[in-house]
């Protein structure tokens, strides 16, 4: 007993003498990594040590103090510069130190150095790479060690600067050297040989070929591919002329010291638009990487699809992944589409770059600034577009990938949808409610609840009994249109289902391991994905669309869930463990595997010729390509409209897009402008967000403001999801209905201008919704504005985007602007000003120097197209303005290509206006007449004549607005108006 008491006293004395110092915990384990060594009650330091474990207090509640020290503290060696990692910490501890990723811990009472420190190892000093130049060599895992880094031939050099990679490619990193260079008919060819010693993720390619094509004076192609083996190439048909351009506005140079690189330069000002001389160029079987410097002061736009929170990109170590994915927009994650395309503005000039690759990708941005592109398959296929204006770049880009689709005129009207009407009666009630308030309304939708158990090409015979007849009523009595949704996955478990039976007979499915790749989506049973790379699928798709049109007389197709989306990961049986389903490098896409919410990457398409690994992000693209001919066959030659959720470069020639399953939040209201502007830059100008939000309950104020903004999306649709409160503009009562009606009446008044913008977009590739910097490139203030936007060059929209706000801080570029409502000139130029914006008002302005064609509005475009036409003439500082008008039947395909349309131009000066009819090949305009014309900025007048005859007019000298009324002259007759 005495001996035991003595032992305890000695132990207690030792504990008192030694004390417990929380700052001396000898472990590098984070608190979250501790494994409890004394789970039963009564743990103590002595009991813990008696078990051979470590005792350290924890900062976080619930973390064990007694734990297995599987990573004991080892002071780092070779450190000559220690920066305190716990500056300002009032109660420092070892736990706090090791819990910080950037810190090392080493107690040392012999020096005054901090025990917890950022550090730079001496071996780092030999490398000359600046921190912002570092290309991450170990971005595939969260936990990186010195040994794993150096095993890749990379440098391990911790830093105290946030987000800077600690493991990075050295400045002398070497993979490929130039072995030959020759001129070709199209440009030149460079051959490369692998000279590296360390692979990064997979097997290096031995020999590369670089083909350079001077395709046009403003378009350059640089294609880098495996010399010896065929790799996947995106089947987007971009014309490649047989001979090189005669007067290219660019030049390209190559080097290989220490590694292969190339530079693309603009000849006019020697701007280097692409410079891959940064370290890290890699071309392995399943890992390809290349980086380019940007010029200082550059503004970067593009890359998608992600919910970006600014139009121009933050270059502070941002990373975006690209792999089409079914997921609501939610910040920095990959969602429905893939657009490896970007635009750069620098020094008043603009260029664009397409990296034509469809495999899973990462894009990393550095403050240097640089762009680092990584992909896990295919080739590097660059297209450079020289601009030099932003609109030039979009035009050149769409010339390559495909000009935008010309939507039918009716599709520019307001549209309404709800997932969850759940019955024809509910649908009828909604349409009647809208009509009772005379809200302009052209298109009603059927979401998947109209179907019989969510199966394509069916309708619910109980809840939607009578739907075909009601669609006829929409057409014949209301002069409206009806669009249906189609999801790609076809139920395989029901008998006598032609869509499946005929598809199975034709063997059209995406395959996995010799059988159709099973999936689970909306239908109750196992479903299969059609393979839209097959010609047989085109025949099957056309027949299904045509046969169902005989049942329901729909007017357009909404193709959803075509990422393709799947409610199981891979197949119902899972995915085999191989390098396609689990590649050695997985980009930072949402989810732990590429197969999450889609099919297995090792599935095959095109009769086994293609891997889903390569073509996954092309699924929606391939479906849209087959949908247009199928839809037009069903519509008996009408133009129709197709809207696709998943997109890829070039899809704009077949389909529009909406921004997906957004949220009923003020933030999403604002982000919708950014997304819409980006898709215009991507060559998909028919774009909009679900007005009032898809997910969550909307509210009256938010929905009213969103209806005001949504009236100026090019694709204007109110749509919400299952289970959320109704949100059509009529359901909120008279005030929201009034404001929605008035906003949409402005839209309908301006539809001739909007349709003419789409004519130019289809012809020349120009944007329709347009960022301010596209028109005011020399004004640097416009580079970062995304709260306002333009329709074309001449109409500016400045919406309220925040709750409880009745004003807008609007920017006015340095030119003449007029208030749309009053015609009064805006005094602000080249600066911001506060505009009043009460709840029933959205600020709108017309740019001086332009003439906008108009037409009296109506409840549908069928009726508005019969109304008198008008013009808004906005004179600039020199008293000049010009504009044009395109008009055709509105729903006939290829009217532009066939010359079956009307086209007129308008020119005005201080005292006159003249119109010229250049093309008059559509007789549908013969009944259209000019009604009234408004002229803004008229200094004085005492008379007005129209084609030599006195005209009715009013003039306000204070506002300088002239309005000429009751013209009643056909629009095919040229006008000569004097005042």
């Amino acid at each position: 007993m005495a001996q035991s008491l003595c032992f305890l006293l000695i132990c207690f004395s030792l504990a008192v003498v030694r004390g417990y110092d929380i700052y001396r915990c000898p472990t590098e384990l984070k608190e979250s990594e501790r494994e409890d060594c004394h789970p039963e009650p009564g743990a103590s330091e002595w009991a813990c040590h008696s078990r051979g474990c470590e005792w350290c207090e924890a900062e976080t509640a619930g973390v064990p103090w007694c734990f297995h020290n599987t990573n004991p503290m080892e002071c780092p060696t070779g450190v000559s510069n220690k920066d305190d990692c716990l500056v300002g910490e009032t109660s420092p501890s070892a736990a706090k130190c090791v819990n910080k990723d950037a810190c090392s811990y080493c107690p040392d009472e012999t020096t005054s150095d901090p025990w917890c420190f950022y550090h730079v190892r001496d071996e780092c000093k030999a490398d000359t790479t600046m921190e912002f130049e570092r290309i991450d060599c170990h971005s595939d895992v969260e936990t990186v060690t010195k040994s794993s880094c150096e095993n890749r031939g990379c440098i391990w050099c911790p830093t105290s600067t946030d987000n800077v990679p600690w493991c990075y490619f050295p400045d002398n990193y070497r993979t490929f050297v130039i072995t030959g260079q020759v001129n070709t008919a199209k440009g030149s060819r460079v051959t490369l040989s692998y000279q590296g010693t360390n692979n990064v993720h997979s097997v290096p390619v031995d020999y590369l070929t670089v083909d350079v094509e001077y395709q046009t004076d403003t378009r350059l192609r640089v294609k880098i591919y495996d010399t010896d083996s065929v790799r996947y190439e995106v089947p987007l048909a971009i014309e490649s002329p047989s001979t090189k351009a005669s007067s290219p506005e660019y030049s390209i140079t190559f080097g290989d010291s220490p590694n292969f690189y190339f530079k693309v330069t603009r000849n006019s000002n020697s701007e280097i638009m692409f410079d891959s001389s940064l370290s890290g160029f890699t071309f392995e079987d399943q890992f390809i990487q290349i980086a380019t410097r940007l010029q200082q002061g550059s503004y970067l736009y593009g890359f998608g699809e992600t919910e970006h929170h600014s139009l121009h990109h933050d270059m502070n170590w941002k990373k975006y992944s690209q792999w089409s994915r079914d997921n609501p927009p939610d910040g920095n994650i990959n969602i429905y589409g893939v657009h490896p395309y970007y635009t750069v503005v620098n020094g008043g000039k603009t260029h664009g770059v397409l990296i034509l690759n469809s495999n899973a990708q990462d894009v990393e941005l550095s403050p240097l600034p640089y762009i680092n592109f990584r992909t896990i398959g295919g080739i590097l296929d660059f297209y450079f577009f020289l601009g030099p204006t932003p609109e030039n770049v979009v035009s050149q880009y769409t010339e390559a990938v495909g000009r935008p689709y010309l939507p039918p005129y009716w599709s520019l009207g307001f549209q309404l949808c709800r997932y969850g009407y759940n019955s024809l009666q509910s649908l009828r009630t909604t349409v009647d409610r809208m009509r009772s308030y005379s809200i302009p309304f052209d298109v009603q939708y059927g979401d998947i609840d109209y179907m019989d158990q969510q199966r394509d090409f069916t309708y619910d015979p109980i809840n939607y009994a009578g739907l075909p007849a009601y669609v006829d009523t929409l057409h014949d009595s209301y002069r409206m249109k009806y669009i249906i949704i189609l999801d790609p996955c076809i139920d395989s478990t029901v008998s006598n289902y032609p869509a499946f039976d005929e598809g199975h007979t034709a063997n059209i499915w995406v395959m996995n391991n010799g059988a159709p790749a099973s999936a689970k989506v909306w239908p109750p049973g196992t479903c299969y994905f059609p393979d839209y790379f097959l010609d047989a699928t085109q025949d099957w798709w056309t027949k299904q669309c045509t046969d169902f049109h005989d049942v329901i007389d729909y007017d357009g197709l909404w193709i959803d869930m075509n990422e393709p989306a799947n409610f199981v990961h891979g197949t119902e049986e899972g995915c085999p463990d191989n390098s396609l389903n689990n590649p050695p490098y997985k980009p930072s896409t949402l989810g732990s595997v590429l197969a999450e919410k889609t099919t297995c990457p090792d599935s095959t398409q095109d009769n086994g010729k293609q891997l889903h690994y390569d073509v996954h992000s092309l699924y929606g693209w391939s479906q849209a390509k087959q949908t247009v001919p199928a839809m037009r066959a069903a519509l008996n030659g009408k133009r129709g409209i197709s809207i696709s959720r998943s997109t890829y470069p070039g899809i704009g020639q077949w389909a529009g897009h909406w921004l997906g399953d957004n949220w009923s939040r003020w933030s999403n209201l604002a982000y919708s402008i950014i997304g819409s502007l980006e898709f215009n830059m991507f060559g998909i100008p028919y774009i909009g967000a679900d007005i009032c939000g898809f997910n969550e309950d909307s509210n009256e104020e938010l929905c009213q403001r969103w209806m005001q903004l949504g009236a100026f999306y090019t694709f204007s649709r109110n749509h919400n999801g299952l289970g959320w409160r109704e949100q059509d503009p009529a359901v909120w009562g008279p005030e929201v209905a009034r404001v929605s009606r008035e906003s949409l009446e402005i839209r309908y008044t301006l539809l001739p201008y909007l349709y003419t913008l789409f004519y130019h977009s289809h012809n020349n590739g120009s944007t329709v919704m347009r960022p301010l910097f596209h028109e005011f490139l020399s004004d640097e203030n416009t580079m970062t504005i995304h709260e306002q936007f333009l329709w074309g060059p001449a109409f500016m929209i400045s919406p309220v985007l925040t709750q409880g706000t009745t004003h807008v801080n609007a920017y006015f570029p340095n030119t003449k602007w007029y208030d749309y409502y009053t015609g009064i000139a805006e005094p602000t130029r080249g600066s911001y000003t506060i505009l009043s914006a009460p709840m029933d008002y959205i600020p709108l302005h017309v740019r001086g120097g332009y003439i906008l064609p108009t037409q009296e509005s109506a409840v549908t475009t069928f009726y508005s197209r019969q109304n008198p036409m008008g013009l808004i003439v906005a004179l600039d500082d020199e008293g000049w303005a010009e504009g044009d008008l395109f008009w055709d039947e509105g729903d006939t395909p290829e009217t532009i290509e066939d010359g079956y349309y009307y086209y007129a131009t308008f020119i005005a000066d201080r005292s006159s206006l003249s119109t010229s009819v250049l093309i008059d090949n559509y007789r549908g305009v013969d009944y259209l007449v000019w009604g009234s014309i408004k002229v803004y900025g008229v200094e004085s007048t005492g008379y007005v004549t129209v084609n030599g005859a006195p005209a009715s007019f009013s003039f306000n000298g204070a506002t300088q607005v002239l309005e000429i009324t009751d013209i009643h002259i056909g629009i095919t007759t040229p006008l000569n108006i004097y005042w």
Side-chain angles (χ1 to χ4, degrees):
M1 178 69 179
Q3 189 176 23
S4 299
L5 180 60
C6 177
F7 177 76
L8 289 173
L9 288 171
I10 292 171
C11 292
F12 178 76
S13 300
L14 289 172
V16 170
V17 172
R18 176 184 127 179
Y20 178 72
D21 188 349
I22 196 172
Y23 202 16
R24 290 181 176 271
C25 187
T27 185
E28 291 190 5
L29 289 173
K30 296 181 179 180
E31 290 185 354
S32 61
E33 297 171 333
R34 292 186 184 183
E35 181 182 349
D36 200 343
C37 185
H38 204 304
E40 64 274 16
S44 66
E45 183 179 4
W46 174 79
C48 181
H49 287 155
S50 69
R51 296 186 179 189
C53 294
E54 193 60 64
W55 175 268
C56 293
E57 294 182 16
E59 299 288 333
T60 307
V63 172
W65 290 16
C66 181
F67 57 93
H68 300 282
N69 191 5
T70 55
N71 192 4
M73 183 65 66
E74 293 182 6
C75 292
T77 60
V79 179
S80 60
N81 181 25
K82 298 180 179 180
D83 297 323
D84 195 345
C85 201
L86 295 177
V87 173
E89 178 59 58
T90 57
S91 55
S93 68
K96 286 180 178 176
C97 184
V98 298
N99 281 340
K100 297 187 70 172
D101 288 334
C103 300
S104 291
Y105 176 67
C106 185
D108 186 355
E109 295 177 339
T110 65
T111 73
S112 60
D113 291 341
W115 291 6
C116 181
F117 52 88
Y118 301 107
H119 63 271
V120 177
R121 297 175 182 272
D122 291 343
E123 60 263 34
C124 297
K125 296 179 181 178
D127 184 73
T128 61
T129 305
M130 296 188 301
E131 287 188 344
F132 289 165
E133 288 182 318
R134 294 184 181 185
I135 304 292
D136 199 340
C137 186
H138 222 312
S139 61
D140 51 315
V141 294
E142 291 186 6
T143 303
V144 184
T145 65
K146 181 175 185 291
S147 60
S148 66
C149 175
E150 293 176 346
N151 286 341
R152 294 184 176 183
C154 293
I155 289 179
W156 173 259
C157 186
T159 175
S160 60
T161 307
D162 290 344
N163 301 316
V164 173
W166 288 17
C167 178
Y168 59 94
F169 292 91
D171 53 9
N172 61 355
Y173 183 75
R174 189 172 182 84
T175 53
F176 290 92
V177 298
I178 297 172
T179 57
Q181 182 172 354
V182 296
N183 293 328
T184 66
K186 297 183 177 183
S188 62
R189 170 170 289 179
V190 178
T191 53
L192 310 177
S193 174
Y194 179 72
Q195 300 293 315
T197 56
N198 297 83
N199 64 306
V200 182
H201 291 287
S202 62
V203 179
V205 171
D206 290 328
Y207 301 100
L208 293 176
T209 299
V210 183
D211 281 340
V212 179
E213 298 180 9
Y214 296 68
Q215 292 193 338
T216 72
D217 288 345
T218 57
R219 186 172 83 222
L220 169 70
R221 183 188 190 187
V222 180
K223 177 183 173 183
I224 306 175
Y225 59 97
D226 188 332
T227 304
D228 298 329
S229 300
V230 175
R231 297 174 63 86
Y232 184 74
E233 299 183 24
V234 176
L236 180 60
I238 298 178
E239 182 183 1
S240 176
S242 58
T243 59
K244 66 181 182 181
S246 59
S247 303
E249 297 178 11
Y250 48 80
S251 57
I252 184 169
T253 56
F254 303 93
D256 63 359
S257 177
N259 199 8
F260 169 74
Y261 65 88
F262 69 95
K263 296 182 180 181
V264 179
T265 302
R266 186 188 300 275
N267 292 341
S268 63
N269 64 353
S270 300
E271 175 196 359
I272 299 176
M273 297 178 292
F274 195 90
D275 176 4
S276 67
S277 62
L278 286 164
S279 186
F281 173 62
T282 305
F283 203 118
E284 298 174 349
D285 183 41
Q286 288 186 270
F287 181 76
I288 302 172
Q289 174 175 260
I290 191 167
T292 177
R293 299 173 189 266
L294 299 180
Q295 299 291 299
Q296 289 293 325
S298 294
Y299 291 91
L300 175 68
Y301 308 87
F303 291 120
E305 182 179 8
T306 298
E307 181 195 72
H308 294 138
H309 295 176
S310 64
L311 186 59
H312 73 291
H313 287 306
D314 177 1
M315 301 299 294
N316 189 22
W317 299 108
K318 295 294 183 181
K319 182 187 288 186
Y320 302 112
S321 59
Q322 300 186 131
W323 173 256
S324 60
R325 160 89 186 209
D326 168 25
N327 204 86
D330 191 16
N332 189 29
I333 59 172
N334 56 298
I335 49 177
Y336 313 108
V338 168
H339 291 271
Y341 169 76
Y342 66 89
T343 301
V344 174
V345 176
N346 177 259
K349 294 187 182 296
T350 314
H351 68 270
V353 180
L354 169 66
I355 311 172
L356 192 59
N357 181 288
S358 58
N359 292 85
Q361 306 162 6
D362 274 335
V363 175
E364 190 173 63
L365 310 178
S366 155
L368 182 63
Y370 72 59
I371 301 170
N372 187 34
F373 178 81
R374 302 186 188 99
T375 186
I376 60 173
I379 66 171
L380 291 174
D381 200 359
F382 295 94
Y383 289 83
F384 298 90
F385 307 96
L386 271 287
T389 71
E391 285 297 302
N392 292 154
V393 168
V394 177
S395 178
Q396 293 155 11
Y397 175 64
T398 56
E399 180 184 35
V401 304
R403 296 295 197 202
Y405 190 83
L406 178 66
Y409 195 94
W410 57 260
S411 71
L412 302 183
F414 179 67
Q415 309 180 32
L416 185 62
C417 182
R418 173 173 170 79
Y419 172 27
Y421 290 121
N422 293 328
S423 71
L424 180 58
Q425 183 55 48
S426 176
L427 175 61
R428 284 179 184 269
T429 299
T430 303
V431 173
D432 291 345
R433 184 167 60 225
M434 290 285 292
R435 288 174 50 79
S436 72
Y437 284 110
S438 299
I439 298 172
F441 176 27
D442 263 88
V443 185
Q444 179 60 55
Y445 277 72
D447 208 323
I448 60 173
D449 55 297
Y450 83 85
M451 299 177 180
D452 184 9
Q453 299 189 70
Q454 289 80 48
R455 296 186 182 102
D456 283 351
F457 307 112
T458 68
Y459 74 94
D460 185 335
I462 298 174
N463 295 311
Y464 280 87
L467 179 61
Y470 183 65
V471 171
D472 291 342
T473 298
L474 292 177
H475 287 147
D476 300 334
S477 299
Y478 304 158
R479 298 298 184 177
M480 293 175 59
K481 304 294 184 180
Y482 188 71
I483 291 177
I484 62 169
I485 191 173
L486 292 174
D487 294 338
C489 211
I490 303 297
D491 194 341
S492 68
T493 62
V494 62
S495 59
N496 299 317
Y497 178 34
F500 173 75
D501 296 338
E502 295 171 14
H504 205 59
T505 299
N507 194 27
I508 62 164
W509 313 119
V510 174
M511 305 294 285
N512 189 273
N513 198 26
S518 63
K520 183 68 182 72
V521 195
W522 291 117
T526 297
C527 58
Y528 299 157
F529 294 113
D531 178 3
Y532 291 97
F533 278 96
L534 293 170
D535 292 338
T537 307
Q538 178 71 81
D539 297 335
W540 167 84
W541 190 235
T542 299
K543 186 175 186 301
Q544 304 313 310
C545 291
T546 302
D547 288 352
F548 192 60
H549 190 264
D550 292 339
V551 178
I552 294 180
D553 188 15
Y554 63 82
D555 301 281
L557 293 176
W558 169 24
I559 49 177
D560 193 12
M561 305 290 286
N562 54 354
E563 290 74 32
N566 190 357
F567 295 162
V568 297
H569 301 334
T571 68
E572 291 181 309
E573 298 76 32
C575 299
D577 185 7
N578 56 44
S579 64
L580 295 175
N581 296 324
N582 298 291
Y585 175 82
K586 182 188 118 22
S588 55
T589 53
L590 185 62
S592 59
V593 292
L594 293 177
E596 187 168 303
K597 294 197 73 176
T598 191
T599 194
C600 299
D602 71 344
S603 297
T604 58
Q605 297 186 229
D606 196 11
N607 289 322
K609 299 174 187 175
Q610 314 293 354
L611 290 167
H612 194 76
Y613 179 88
D614 295 316
V615 302
H616 165 81
S617 294
L618 297 176
Y619 192 88
W621 178 90
S622 62
Q623 185 189 22
K625 184 178 182 181
Q626 292 199 357
T627 295
V628 169
M631 175 183 66
R632 288 186 175 177
L635 298 180
N636 296 314
K638 291 294 186 181
R639 190 184 307 168
I641 189 69
S642 172
I643 305 103
S644 176
R645 190 168 75 172
S646 186
T647 60
Y648 188 83
I651 199 174
Q653 62 191 306
W654 306 305
H657 177 60
W658 85 106
L659 296 176
D661 298 344
N662 61 350
W663 304 86
S664 297
R665 302 171 186 171
W666 288 92
S667 60
N668 279 226
L669 171 69
Y671 300 154
S672 71
I673 299 176
I674 298 167
S676 297
L677 294 177
E678 285 182 329
F679 272 89
N680 271 263
M681 296 163 77
F682 293 155
I684 307 172
Y686 191 72
I687 180 70
D690 282 349
I691 296 171
C692 301
F694 178 82
N695 286 302
E696 302 178 331
D697 285 336
S698 194
N699 62 73
E700 186 171 331
E701 181 189 0
L702 173 62
C703 201
Q704 181 166 321
R705 287 302 194 189
W706 212 324
M707 283 298 301
Q708 290 173 328
L709 169 60
F712 300 99
Y713 295 150
T714 48
F715 172 33
S716 181
R717 182 183 70 167
N718 181 312
H719 177 216
N720 73 327
L722 184 67
W724 307 115
R725 68 181 300 178
E726 292 180 295
Q727 64 182 38
D728 60 87
V731 77
W732 305 99
E735 181 61 13
V736 176
R738 177 184 70 84
V739 173
S740 300
R741 180 179 64 250
E742 292 173 357
S743 299
L744 289 169
E745 284 174 346
I746 297 171
R747 176 189 182 88
Y748 276 58
T749 298
L750 291 170
L751 283 185
Y753 174 64
L754 181 61
Y755 196 49
T756 301
L757 292 176
F758 271 103
Y759 159 76
H760 290 298
S761 180
H762 179 72
N763 262 6
N764 306 313
S766 53
T767 60
V768 179
M769 283 182 73
R770 190 170 298 179
L772 268 63
F773 79 86
H774 272 226
E775 288 295 316
F776 302 96
L777 190 58
S778 62
D779 185 347
E780 192 163 4
N781 291 320
T782 66
M783 300 298 164
T784 59
I785 292 175
H786 52 251
E787 300 86 359
Q788 301 166 259
F789 61 95
L790 298 163
W791 268 10
F795 187 71
M796 185 165 70
I797 299 98
S798 305
V800 172
L801 301 174
T802 54
Q803 185 177 8
T805 302
T806 55
H807 66 272
V808 173
N809 187 23
Y811 185 78
F812 286 87
N814 188 15
T815 191
K816 196 157 192 174
W817 297 94
Y818 297 92
D819 183 289
Y820 168 80
Y821 302 94
T822 66
I824 297 174
E826 168 59 45
T828 306
R829 294 193 182 201
S831 63
Y832 285 88
T833 191
I834 301 296
L835 301 176
S836 177
M839 279 298 300
D840 61 352
Y841 182 87
I842 177 172
L844 305 171
H845 290 83
V846 182
R847 182 181 175 186
Y850 291 88
I851 301 175
L852 279 58
T854 64
Q855 191 170 37
E856 293 179 16
S857 67
V859 291
T860 72
T861 55
F862 174 84
Y863 295 109
S864 70
R865 281 175 58 90
Q866 302 174 47
N867 287 342
M869 306 291 291
L871 296 174
I872 296 175
V873 180
L875 299 176
D876 64 13
D877 290 328
E878 283 69 47
W880 181 266
E882 60 185 353
D884 57 352
L885 170 65
F886 166 82
W887 201 261
D888 66 356
E889 185 272 339
D891 201 14
T892 299
E894 318 300 339
T895 58
I896 298 173
E897 291 76 9
D898 296 339
Y900 182 54
Y901 63 95
Y902 165 95
Y903 181 72
T905 59
F906 320 117
I907 295 177
D909 60 23
R910 296 184 188 276
S911 59
S912 68
L913 166 69
S914 63
T915 72
S916 300
V917 179
L918 303 186
I919 297 175
D920 189 14
N921 294 332
Y922 170 56
R923 297 279 53 85
V925 299
D926 291 345
Y927 63 85
L928 290 176
V929 299
W930 294 112
S932 65
I933 294 174
K934 295 179 180 180
V935 187
Y936 300 159
V938 175
E939 296 176 355
S940 64
T941 187
Y943 70 96
V944 174
T945 62
V946 176
N947 288 357
S952 300
F953 72 95
S954 63
F955 175 67
N956 187 322
T959 61
Q960 296 190 332
V961 174
L962 168 66
E963 184 169 8
I964 307 164
T965 58
D966 302 322
I967 299 174
H968 296 306
I969 294 176
I971 70 169
T972 59
T973 300
L975 293 181
N976 289 286
I977 301 176
Y978 294 91
W979 57 83

